[in-house]
Each structure stands twice: as structure tokens, then as C-alpha cells.
Amino acid sequence: MSETDCTDEPLTPAQRLESSNPRIIDAGIATITDMETLQACVAYENQHQQRLPILKLLAQRAEELREES
């Protein structure tokens, strides 16, 4: 792995949600740790593909984050 592969930069909504592999999308959503990132992902999905299953996963993650705080 090169140095450019290891970064402390957070994933963008596109990086979290744009994959043909559902497991990668699931992992991208599962690793959201704050509401600001989650809201950015919801906005991104609404502006682009508007996939209901993805929006449902994001809503479920929002509920999990609310329960954690």
C-alpha cells in the first residue's frame, strides 16, 4: 500500500455510495460516525441516484447514531 492509500481524510459521499459492490456501500454506511457525514450522504444520494434501499440504510444508520448519543 502506498502512502497515498493511507490517509486521515474522511471518505466523501461519492466514495461511500458509488460502488457496484453492495458490500462496499454497506461498509461505507456502517462506518459513518456523525450526523454531518450522514446528512451529506443523504443529500448526495438524493441528488444522484435516489436509490430507496440506500436511503433506507442511511435512515437506519441515523437511528443507530441517535441511540448511541
Side-chain angles (χ1 to χ4, degrees), residues 13-31:
Q15 290 170 316
R16 290 181 186 278
L17 302 175
E18 291 302 323
S19 174
S20 59
N21 185 336
R23 287 182 168 175
I24 293 175
I25 294 172
D26 290 345
I29 292 171
T31 57

Side-chain angles (χ1 to χ4, degrees), residues 5-7 9 15 26-27 30-32 41 43 52 54 58 63 65-67:
D5 293 337
C6 295
T7 179
E9 294 296 316
Q15 290 170 316
D26 290 345
T31 57
I32 295 173
C41 288
L52 189 57
I54 301 301
L58 290 166
E63 185 61 34
L65 290 174
R66 285 186 204 102
E67 290 173 1

